[in-house]
C-alpha cells in the first residue's frame, strides 16, 4: 500500500494528455441490478475493521426506526459462543464455515425492518456471493474510511494495513452503494478514548457530524428524503425539489480544484441550490478520491450534488461509464448523462439509477441555431429515456442568441408541461442574459472561486448578481415584511433579514411594527407589496382564526409565527397554494393570509443535531420538559413529538394555561402513547421528578424575556431535581 501523505498532490488540469492516458479503476459489476427497493427492505453495512460500520449501523437504525443486528451478537445467539471462544474450541476451518452459515442465516431471518452490520465474514467468497444476491433486492452499503485513519485507530503496522485495505476492495463487488466515513471534527480530542469505550458521553458526542451525514445519506438512497417535505409548508424552499422551483442555481466545482485546495468549501454556504461536481481528471485511484470529495461537499454544505464527468477528460467511453456508475453508488442527487452515449448504455444507467435523478445533456459545438429542429430532437431523445431534466447548451455568437433560446424554451414548455424539465442557455460572455433568464440550475460562480482561465463556461456571474438582475428588470418585485407584536422593539429580525436580502441579491424591506390588535396588521397588509409577517407574542394563537389556510404544522401546534400574503386572482379569490408559492416574489392585491409555524423547525433542528446517539429517542423511555405555555412552548412540544418523544412534561406558572396546551396535544396525539396521553402537567416546581419516568434529556425553556399582556417577566430557575439525567441531554433557551 502506498503511504498516505499529508500534503495535497498537484493534479494535472483537465484536458491534459496525462489525464487521458491514465487507466481508471473499474466500477463494481452490479450494473444490471435496479436500486429501487421495498421501503422497509433491510439495509446491510459491509467494510473493513475500523471503518465505523457499527457506529453507523447504530445511527442508521435509530434514524430509520429499525432493528439493529450485528454479526457478532447474532453469531453468539446462534452458536452459544463468542467468535473468539468458537475459534478456540473448533479451529479455524470450522470457524470459517460457521461464519458463512451465520451470515446467510442472519440475512434470511432479517429480510425487512433491520440494519445489519456485517463482520469480517463478509470477506469470504461464499459470503460475498450471498451478499451479491442479497444486493439485488436490498441496499448493501460499502463503508470506506481513510486508510491512514484506520491504521491509527487499530494500531496496525504498514503490512497489516496494506492487507486490510486490499481485502476491503472485494466488498465493492457485493455492494450497491458506497459511503465514505469522514473523520468527525468532534473526534479530534478523543481518539484514544473513542477507540476504547463506546459507552462514554464523549463517544456519543463525537458522532454528531457522522450522525447527520449518514442519516441524510440513508434518506437519499431510500427515497425517504423526498418524504421529508411533510415537515415543510408549500412556501418553504425545501418543500419542492430544486428543479420544480423557479430560479435555482448550481455552483460548478472541478475535482482537481477541490483536491488541490483551491476552493474553501465553507465559504460557498448559501451561494447556490446545488453543487455541480465536475470530474476533470482521471487517475488510477480516482474512485476513492471522488468518494471523499462527495462526502466533503455533503458534510460542509448539505445541498444536492450534480455529478458531471467532463466530456474532454477521457475519450474512453468505459472510463466515463465507470465514473457514472460510481456516482450512482454514492447516491448523488443528480447525474449528468451525455446524450451521445449509445441507447443501451443510457438505458442501463437509467435502470439502475435508484433515487438519483438523470440530467440528459447535449452541448452543441457547431453553433446550430436554436430554431433548428435538431434541438427538439435532442429534447425528445432525453424524454425517450425518461430523463428527469434535459440540459441543452451552445456558445452564443450574438446577443440575438439569447432571445432565440428563450423562444425555444417557450416552445418546449407548450408541448411538455411535466417531465422532463428543460435547462437551456448559451455559453460564453455573450450568453449571460440567457443564464439569468434560465430558471433551473443556472450555473453561477462565487467570490471564493478563482476563475483561472478564459474558457467560455467560466464567464459566470454569482447567484447574488443573477437575483439582482431579476429585481432590476422587474421579473421579481421587492416586497415588504414586518415583525408584528406587542413587544418587538428588541427584535433583531429586521437586521437579520435585510442582511440576508443583501447577501442574496434580493430587494426587500423588513421592519418592526408594535401593535395592540391584529386589525392593525390587516391594515398594513393592504399594501400590494406586503409579503408577510413574523408574528410575536401575544398573537401566535389568535392569528390562526384570521387565516384562510394553514400548514399542517400550524394546525397541529395551534399557533402560527409566520403569515404569508396570498394574492388575489382577477375574481378576487386566492390562487392555488402551490401557484402562490412559485410566485411569492411577485407583488399584487392581498386577499388572505396563509399561516405557518417555523418555530418548531428551529427547535427540532437544535434538539436533533445536539442529541447524542446515547440519548437517542426511545418512545417508551425518553422524556422531555417544556417550561411555558405560549406559542413557543406549543412548538417545542410538537418538535419533541416529531422526534418520537411520547413522555413530555409541561410546567407553567399559570396551571390552567398549561392544562389547555396539554389537552390540545393529548387530543391531537394521545393515541401515539400507550397511556393515552403524551403531555403531562407538572403542578409544582418543588415536587421531585415523577419516579416512574426517566429524567428529561430534552429541556426547552420558553419563559418570555419581557412582559406579556398583564404579566411581568418570570424569574424562573429549573429545580435541580429535574436535572438528574445520567447521560446529560439538550437544554434549549429560546428567549
Amino acid at each position: 500500500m502506498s503511504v498516505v501523505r499529508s500534503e495535497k498532490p498537484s493534479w494535472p488540469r483537465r484536458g491534459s494528455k496525462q489525464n487521458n492516458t491514465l487507466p481508471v479503476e473499474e466500477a463494481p459489476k452490479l450494473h444490471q441490478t435496479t436500486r429501487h427497493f421495498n421501503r422497509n427492505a433491510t439495509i446491510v453495512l459491509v467494510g473493513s475493521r475500523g471503518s465505523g460500520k457499527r457506529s453507523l449501523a447504530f445511527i442508521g437504525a435509530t434514524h430509520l426506526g429499525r432493528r439493529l443486528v450485528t454479526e457478532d451478537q447474532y453469531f453468539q445467539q446462534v452458536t452459544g459462543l463468542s467468535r473468539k471462544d468458537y475459534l478456540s474450541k473448533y479451529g479455524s476451518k470450522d470457524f470459517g464455515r460457521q461464519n458463512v452459515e451465520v451470515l446467510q442465516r442472519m440475512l434470511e431471518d432479517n429480510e425487512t425492518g433491520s440494519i445489519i452490520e456485517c463482520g469480517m465474514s463478509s470477506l469470504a467468497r461464499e459470503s460475498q456471493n450471498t451478499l451479491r444476491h442479497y444486493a439485488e433486492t436490498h441496499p448493501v452499503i460499502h463503508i470506506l474510511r481513510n486508510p491512514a485513519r484506520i491504521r491509527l485507530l487499530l494500531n496496525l503496522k504498514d503490512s497489516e494495513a496494506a492487507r486490510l485495505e486490499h481485502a476491503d476492495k472485494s466488498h465493492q463487488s457485493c455492494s450497491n452503494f458506497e459511503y465514505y466515513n469522514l473523520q468527525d471534527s468532534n473526534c479530534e480530542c478523543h481518539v484514544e478514548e473513542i477507540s476504547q469505550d463506546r459507552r462514554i458521553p464523549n463517544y456519543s458526542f463525537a458522532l454528531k457530524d457522522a450522525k447527520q451525514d449518514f442519516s441524510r445519506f440513508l434518506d437519499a438512497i431510500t427515497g425517504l428524503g423526498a418524504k421529508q417535505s411533510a415537515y415543510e409548508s408549500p412556501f418553504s424552499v425545501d418543500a419542492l425539489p430544486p428543479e420544480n422551483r423557479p430560479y435555482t442555481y448550481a455552483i460548478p466545482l472541478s475535482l482537481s480544484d477541490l483536491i488541490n485546495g483551491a476552493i474553501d468549501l465553507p465559504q460557498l454556504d448559501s451561494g447556490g441550490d446545488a453543487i455541480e461536481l465536475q470530474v476533470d481528471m482521471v487517475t488510477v485511484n480516482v474512485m476513492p478520491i471522488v468518494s471523499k470529495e462527495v462526502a466533503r461537499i455533503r458534510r460542509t454544505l448539505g445541498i444536492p450534488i450534480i455529478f458531471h464527468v467532463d466530456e474532454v477528460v477521457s475519450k474512453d467511453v468505459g472510463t466515463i461509464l465507470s465514473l457514472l456508475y460510481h456516482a450512482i453508488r454514492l447516491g448523488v442527487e443528480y447525474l449528468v448523462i451525455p446524450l451521445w452515449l449509445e441507447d443501451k448504455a443510457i438505458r442501463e444507467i437509467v435502470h439502475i439509477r435508484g433515487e438519483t435523478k438523470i440530467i440528459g445533456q447535449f452541448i452543441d459545438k457547431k453553433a446550430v441555431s436554436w430554431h433548428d429542429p435538431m434541438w427538439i430532437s435532442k429534447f425528445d431523445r432525453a424524454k425517450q429515456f425518461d430523463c428527469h431534466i434535459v440540459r441543452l447548451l451552445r456558445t452564443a455568437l450574438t446577443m440575438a442568441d439569447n432571445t432565440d433560446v428563450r423562444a425555444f424554451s417557450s416552445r418546449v414548455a407548450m408541448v411538455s408541461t411535466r417531465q422532463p424539465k428543460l435547462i437551456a442557455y448559451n455559453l460564453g460572455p455573450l450568453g449571460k442574459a440567457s443564464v439569468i433568464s434560465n430558471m433551473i440550475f443556472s450555473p453561477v460562480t462565487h467570490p471564493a472561486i478563482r476563475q483561472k482561465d478564459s474558457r467560455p463556461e467560466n464567464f459566470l456571474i454569482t447567484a447574488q448578481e443573477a437575483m439582482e438582475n431579476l429585481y432590476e428588470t422587474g421579473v421579481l418585485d421587492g416586497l415588504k415584511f414586518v415583525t408584528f407584536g406587542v413587544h418587538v422593539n428588541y427584535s433583531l429580525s429586521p437586521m437579520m433579514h435585510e442582511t440576508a436580502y443583501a447577501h442574496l441579491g434580493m430587494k426587500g424591506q423588513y421592519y418592526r411594527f408594535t401593535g395592540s390588535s391584529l386589525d392593525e396588521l390587516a391594515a398594513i397588509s393592504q399594501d400590494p407589496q406586503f409579503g408577510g409577517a413574523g408574528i410575536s407574542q401575544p398573537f401566535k394563537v389568535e392569528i390562526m382564526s384570521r387565516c384562510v389556510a394553514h400548514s399542517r404544522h400550524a394546525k397541529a401546534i395551534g399557533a402560527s409565527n409566520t403569515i404569508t400574503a396570498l394574492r388575489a386572482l382577477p375574481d378576487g379569490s386566492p390562487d392555488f397554494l402551490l401557484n402562490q408559492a412559485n410566485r411569492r416574489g411577485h407583488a399584487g392585491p392581498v386577499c388572505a393570509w396563509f399561516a405557518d409555524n417555523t418555530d418548531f423547525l428551529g427547535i427540532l433542528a437544535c434538539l436533533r443535531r445536539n442529541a447524542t446517539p446515547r440519548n437517542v429517542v426511545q418512545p417508551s423511555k425518553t422524556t422531555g420538559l417544556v417550561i411555558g405555555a405560549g406559542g413557543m412552548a406549543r412548538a417545542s412540544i410538537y418538535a419533541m413529538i416529531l422526534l418520537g418523544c411520547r413522555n413530555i412534561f409541561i410546567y407553567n406558572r399559570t396551571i390552567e394555561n398549561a392544562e389547555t396546551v396539554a389537552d390540545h396535544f393529548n387530543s391531537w396525539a394521545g393515541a401515539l402513547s400507550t397511556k393515552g396521553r403524551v403531555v403531562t402537567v407538572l403542578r409544582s416546581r418543588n415536587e421531585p421528578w415523577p419516579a416512574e419516568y426517566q429524567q428529561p434529556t430534552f429541556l426547552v425553556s420558553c419563559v418570555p424575556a419581557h412582559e406579556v399582556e398583564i404579566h411581568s417577566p418570570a424569574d424562573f430557575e429549573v429545580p435541580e431535581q429535574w436535572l438528574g439525567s445520567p447521560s446529560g441531554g439538550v437544554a434549549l433557551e429560546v428567549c
Side-chain angles (χ1 to χ4, degrees):
M1 184 187 78
S2 59
V3 177
V4 177
R5 301 182 182 179
S6 58
E7 66 268 17
K8 295 176 177 132
S10 179
W11 297 104
R13 294 292 299 171
R14 70 163 144 189
S16 71
K17 291 182 179 178
Q18 293 165 287
N19 283 352
N20 291 326
T21 58
L22 283 169
V24 62
E25 186 177 331
E26 193 171 357
K29 295 294 186 181
L30 277 171
H31 300 172
Q32 74 284 0
T33 304
T34 181
R35 286 169 173 78
H36 290 289
F37 308 110
N38 182 299
R39 290 288 184 192
N40 203 33
T42 284
I43 298 171
V44 180
L45 307 189
V46 298
S48 75
R49 290 186 298 129
S51 62
K53 298 191 305 294
R54 184 161 301 179
S55 296
L56 293 176
F58 176 66
I59 288 170
T62 299
H63 176 68
L64 298 177
R66 304 280 187 91
R67 297 186 303 272
L68 173 60
V69 181
T70 70
E71 193 173 332
D72 286 344
Q73 293 172 334
Y74 200 84
F75 187 96
Q76 185 155 354
Q77 177 184 327
V78 169
T79 66
L81 296 172
S82 68
R83 288 177 181 275
K84 181 179 179 181
D85 291 342
Y86 193 99
L87 176 61
S88 176
K89 184 174 182 178
Y90 294 105
S92 59
K93 184 176 181 180
D94 196 58
F95 175 68
R97 178 191 57 77
Q98 187 66 53
N99 260 335
V100 172
E101 291 180 2
V102 166
L103 181 138
Q104 292 172 341
R105 181 173 169 183
M106 178 174 63
L107 297 178
E108 291 172 1
D109 290 350
N110 297 280
E111 284 276 347
T112 60
S114 303
I115 286 191
I116 295 176
E117 180 252 332
C118 283
M120 297 308 290
S121 69
S122 61
L123 292 173
R125 181 176 301 176
E126 296 89 344
S127 294
Q128 293 194 353
N129 288 335
T130 299
L131 286 166
R132 197 172 293 113
H133 177 71
Y134 202 75
E136 295 177 4
T137 53
H138 296 78
V140 178
I141 306 171
H142 181 200
I143 307 299
L144 288 181
R145 202 172 197 173
N146 187 328
R149 180 68 185 165
I150 292 176
R151 188 165 62 240
L152 174 64
L153 285 172
L154 301 181
N155 193 26
L156 300 177
K157 296 178 181 178
D158 286 351
S159 58
E160 295 172 319
R163 285 195 299 272
L164 188 65
E165 185 179 1
H166 178 75
D168 185 45
K169 289 183 179 180
S170 65
H171 286 128
Q172 294 178 349
S173 67
C174 60
S175 59
N176 45 25
F177 289 105
E178 182 171 303
Y179 177 81
Y180 193 99
N181 189 12
L182 280 177
Q183 168 65 11
D184 200 306
S185 60
N186 295 296
C187 292
E188 297 298 337
C189 299
H190 315 298
V191 172
E192 186 174 339
E193 292 176 340
I194 289 166
S195 63
Q196 293 177 1
D197 191 350
R198 296 171 182 267
R199 297 168 298 175
I200 60 173
N202 279 345
Y203 177 78
S204 295
F205 183 75
L207 293 174
K208 181 178 172 183
D209 288 344
K211 171 186 168 187
Q212 186 170 335
D213 284 355
F214 193 59
S215 297
R216 188 184 295 129
F217 175 78
L218 292 177
D219 287 343
I221 68 171
T222 59
L224 293 174
K227 305 297 183 184
Q228 298 304 313
S229 59
Y231 278 174
E232 312 300 338
S233 81
F235 293 89
S236 167
V237 294
D238 294 324
L240 294 172
E243 68 270 21
N244 291 338
R245 306 197 308 260
Y247 302 109
T248 54
Y249 302 101
I251 303 176
L253 299 181
S254 69
L255 182 63
S256 59
D257 281 346
L258 280 170
I259 64 176
N260 281 322
I263 298 172
D264 186 1
L265 279 177
Q267 290 190 42
L268 303 184
D269 190 26
S270 79
D273 301 278
I275 292 294
E276 180 158 348
L277 177 59
Q278 298 178 333
V279 179
D280 62 340
M281 49 163 277
V282 174
T283 67
V284 70
N285 63 335
V286 70
M287 300 300 191
I289 293 172
V290 168
S291 299
K292 182 176 181 180
E293 294 308 319
V294 166
R296 283 212 308 134
I297 292 170
R298 282 173 166 159
R299 173 162 296 185
T300 307
L301 302 176
I303 58 177
I305 294 175
I306 304 170
F307 190 89
H308 176 200
V309 180
D310 195 313
E311 294 181 22
V312 303
V313 75
S314 175
K315 296 180 180 178
D316 178 23
V317 174
T319 295
I320 293 174
L321 290 176
S322 290
L323 287 164
L324 295 178
Y325 290 134
H326 187 65
I328 291 174
R329 280 176 58 81
L330 298 176
V332 298
E333 287 79 3
Y334 301 90
L335 182 66
V336 177
I337 298 181
L339 290 174
W340 53 258
L341 287 174
E342 293 183 356
D343 291 8
K344 180 181 178 182
I346 296 178
R347 286 197 181 95
E348 183 177 349
I349 292 171
V350 172
H351 177 65
I352 59 104
R353 68 175 179 83
E355 298 296 329
T356 295
K357 296 178 182 178
I358 303 299
I359 301 176
Q361 174 172 281
F362 175 75
I363 303 176
D364 171 49
K365 299 177 181 177
K366 299 179 181 179
V368 176
S369 167
W370 286 106
H371 297 288
D372 194 288
M374 180 270 290
W375 292 105
I376 290 292
S377 71
K378 297 300 181 185
F379 181 86
D380 289 340
R381 175 168 169 77
K383 189 174 183 179
Q384 168 192 345
F385 296 113
D386 294 325
C387 292
H388 301 80
I389 304 171
V390 186
R391 184 160 69 181
L392 305 176
L393 311 173
R394 72 184 285 273
T395 300
L397 301 180
T398 68
M399 294 298 292
D401 289 333
N402 296 324
T403 303
D404 291 346
V405 71
R406 285 196 293 270
F408 170 76
S409 298
S410 298
R411 292 199 303 273
V412 171
M414 291 176 63
V415 299
S416 180
T417 56
R418 297 181 66 84
Q419 198 165 292
K421 302 287 185 179
L422 175 66
I423 299 173
Y425 55 83
N426 294 308
L427 302 171
L430 296 179
K432 287 185 179 180
S434 69
V435 173
I436 292 172
S437 63
N438 177 64
M439 299 186 73
I440 303 171
F441 290 142
S442 298
V444 293
T445 186
H446 190 278
I449 301 174
R450 300 187 296 276
Q451 297 186 25
K452 302 181 180 66
D453 52 47
S454 57
R455 289 178 305 215
E457 62 266 35
N458 274 347
F459 287 92
L460 299 178
I461 60 176
T462 64
Q464 178 187 28
E465 292 167 333
M467 291 297 293
E468 287 173 348
N469 185 277
L470 293 174
Y471 282 97
E472 289 169 2
T473 56
V475 175
L476 298 177
D477 300 317
L479 301 178
K480 299 175 183 178
F481 301 88
V482 60
T483 180
F484 183 87
V486 170
H487 295 279
V488 293
N489 290 333
Y490 66 89
S491 175
L492 295 177
S493 291
M495 181 183 298
M496 292 168 62
H497 282 79
E498 291 193 348
T499 300
Y501 298 155
H503 179 73
L504 297 173
M506 298 173 65
K507 184 179 180 183
Q509 301 175 38
Y510 199 107
Y511 57 96
R512 305 177 188 88
F513 191 100
T514 300
S516 58
S517 167
L518 288 178
D519 292 336
E520 296 172 83
L521 181 60
I524 295 171
S525 71
Q526 295 309 301
D527 185 339
Q529 287 187 296
F530 177 77
I535 306 300
S536 186
Q537 294 290 6
F539 301 115
K540 291 189 176 187
V541 176
E542 182 185 352
I543 192 72
M544 293 287 287
S545 62
R546 297 287 194 106
C547 297
V548 299
H550 311 78
S551 73
R552 60 185 293 266
H553 311 296
K555 286 181 181 178
I557 294 168
S560 168
N561 76 325
T562 305
I563 64 165
T564 303
L566 299 180
R567 311 293 173 191
L569 292 169
D571 64 0
S573 64
D575 199 356
F576 292 113
L577 287 180
L578 195 56
N579 293 338
Q580 297 270 6
N582 277 333
R583 291 185 57 79
R584 61 182 175 271
H586 299 269
V590 178
C591 63
W593 299 335
F594 173 83
D596 199 2
N597 193 301
T598 62
D599 285 335
F600 87 93
L601 286 171
I603 295 165
L604 184 71
C606 287
L607 297 180
R608 175 185 285 146
R609 290 173 184 170
N610 292 286
T612 65
R614 191 178 181 201
N615 282 330
V616 64
V617 173
Q618 297 175 290
S620 62
K621 296 181 180 180
T622 301
T623 59
L625 172 61
V626 175
I627 312 296
M632 193 66 80
R634 287 170 173 260
S636 302
I637 292 172
Y638 184 62
M640 291 182 187
I641 291 173
L642 291 181
L643 283 171
C645 187
R646 299 293 178 261
N647 303 306
I648 303 169
F649 291 85
I650 182 172
Y651 175 81
N652 189 62
R653 60 182 174 181
T654 305
I655 293 179
E656 291 79 8
N657 292 345
E659 289 176 335
T660 298
V661 174
D663 290 344
H664 169 84
F665 283 101
N666 288 331
S667 173
W668 175 73
L672 297 175
S673 171
T674 57
K675 303 179 182 68
R677 69 176 189 276
V678 293
V679 181
T680 302
V681 176
L682 293 173
R683 297 185 169 273
S684 170
R685 63 186 302 274
N686 298 318
E687 295 178 1
W689 187 258
E692 64 271 29
Y693 293 95
Q694 290 187 354
Q695 289 274 343
T697 51
F698 294 130
L699 192 160
V700 183
S701 172
C702 306
V703 179
H706 52 76
E707 180 180 314
V708 177
E709 296 178 326
I710 61 173
H711 300 290
S712 59
D715 183 12
F716 181 81
E717 286 187 13
V718 179
E720 190 171 339
Q721 68 267 24
W722 293 357
L723 299 174
S725 169
S727 58
V730 183
L732 176 61
E733 164 56 63
V734 300
C735 292

